[in-house]
Amino acid sequence: MRGYLTLFKLRMNAGLQYRGAALSGIVTQLVWGFLLITLFQLMGQNTMPAEEIATYFWLNQAFIAMNAIWTMDGSLFQEIETGNIQYAVLRPQNIYFQWFVRNGAYRLSRTILRAIPLFFIVFLLPKPYRMGFPASGTFFISFILSLILAFFTQLAIGNIMVSLVMKSKQIMGVRILFISLFDFLDGGNIPYAYFPPVLQTILTTTFFYSIKTAPFLMYMGSIPILSTLFFQFIWLIILMFVGYKMVSSELRKLEVYGG
């Protein structure tokens, strides 16, 4: 466990050095947030009230480095492409949890640099762009728990992505496939309320729901607490189990320099 903590600290410290990139990222997220909020408010507030639309998209922009599928630690893929994965395998740590910790530190460091300044801004904006407060203290605590589960779920999905790259040796193909699916189905760009009812019902039974929609709706007090957290936890266990088996299977076939 100490080795994983040391690895986490090293990767966090490395990620926190990129303050300039974080500043430009905040500007991009503000602009993109304004565009999305304006678009969906123009589409009609019968589906979602104006304050909920603003709150939903500011939450998405604040935690995009944590829960967006495309914010993966690219060095994981580079190790597979160059063959340097052999050094990771030789470390006295389980490689699945190595990747889990490395990707988690990468995402968390970028979230800290961007989310805190963004919240200082969006809570002070004029209506209808101002971010709303949590529905209650209970829902805020539940939101934190839901966000943690969403974070771990995304890390589990990231390890599945890496295992598929090991299998196919196609980095861009796997990433484009996952990004296309998740950007459309996780509710980050299009809230589930704007989907047809049948598709909403289907998506709320999948792990896509766990990543963004569940914690954001929890913040606004729109969904039940216990059943949602239990749902997220079950999907996390399933995805970690599947990812672990996939990584273990690929490691048994791993060859470096023909050996």
Side-chain angles (χ1 to χ4, degrees):
M1 181 60 70
R2 183 177 298 175
Y4 294 115
L5 289 174
T6 301
L7 178 61
F8 180 79
K9 290 178 182 178
L10 289 173
R11 302 298 291 189
M12 277 288 292
N13 290 334
L16 291 172
Q17 304 302 314
Y18 296 97
R19 296 182 179 87
L23 180 59
S24 62
I26 291 171
V27 174
T28 303
Q29 287 166 238
L30 281 170
V31 172
W32 191 244
F34 276 116
L35 290 174
L36 287 172
I37 292 167
T38 302
L39 172 63
F40 281 92
Q41 288 180 351
L42 289 174
M43 289 174 63
Q45 298 177 17
N46 294 328
T47 305
M48 289 178 71
E51 183 179 344
E52 288 190 3
I53 293 172
T55 300
Y56 187 94
F57 282 113
W58 287 134
L59 284 170
N60 183 52
Q61 292 304 310
F63 295 109
I64 199 166
M66 178 184 289
N67 290 339
I69 192 67
W70 44 266
T71 54
M72 282 282 294
D73 184 350
S75 65
L76 299 178
F77 300 112
Q78 291 171 4
E79 286 182 357
I80 297 171
E81 188 176 40
T82 61
N84 288 336
I85 188 176
Q86 60 182 311
Y87 301 115
V89 173
L90 292 174
R91 291 173 184 162
Q93 297 169 340
N94 185 291
I95 194 168
Y96 179 89
F97 294 108
Q98 277 187 51
W99 291 343
F100 211 83
V101 170
R102 286 175 57 184
N103 196 26
Y106 179 90
R107 289 174 176 272
L108 196 58
S109 61
R110 281 152 179 77
T111 301
I112 291 172
L113 288 175
R114 298 183 183 191
I116 296 175
L118 190 69
F119 280 134
F120 274 111
I121 297 170
V122 298
F123 276 114
L124 299 175
L125 292 174
K127 293 183 178 182
Y129 295 99
R130 184 187 305 160
M131 179 172 170
F133 291 100
S136 68
T138 301
F139 274 108
F140 179 70
I141 294 172
S142 303
F143 159 72
I144 298 298
L145 295 175
S146 180
L147 191 65
I148 293 171
L149 289 172
F151 177 51
F152 287 141
T153 299
Q154 192 64 276
L155 296 182
I157 293 169
N159 277 5
I160 292 176
M161 284 180 62
V162 177
S163 69
L164 289 174
V165 170
M166 290 177 66
K167 185 177 184 66
S168 66
K169 306 300 186 294
Q170 297 292 325
I171 298 175
M172 290 304 298
V174 172
R175 295 193 74 172
I176 289 172
L177 174 63
F178 272 72
I179 289 170
S180 300
L181 284 174
F182 279 76
D183 276 355
F184 180 67
L185 298 176
D186 65 8
N189 292 320
I190 306 175
Y192 282 8
Y194 292 88
F195 281 98
V198 175
L199 189 54
Q200 288 184 45
T201 302
I202 295 172
L203 288 175
T204 51
T205 63
T206 67
F207 54 82
F208 294 107
Y209 179 70
S210 294
I211 298 169
K212 295 183 179 180
T213 302
F216 298 168
L217 294 182
M218 187 77 74
Y219 181 93
M220 296 184 288
S222 303
I223 52 177
I225 295 174
L226 293 179
S227 60
T228 302
L229 293 176
F230 180 74
F231 170 85
Q232 288 183 275
F233 179 75
I234 292 300
W235 264 119
L236 172 60
I237 297 300
I238 292 172
L239 291 169
M240 287 187 68
F241 177 79
V242 170
Y244 192 89
K245 290 294 184 181
M246 290 176 68
V247 171
S248 299
S249 175
E250 291 306 314
L251 286 177
R252 285 195 292 271
K253 307 171 189 175
L254 184 65
E255 291 185 2
V256 180
Y257 300 120

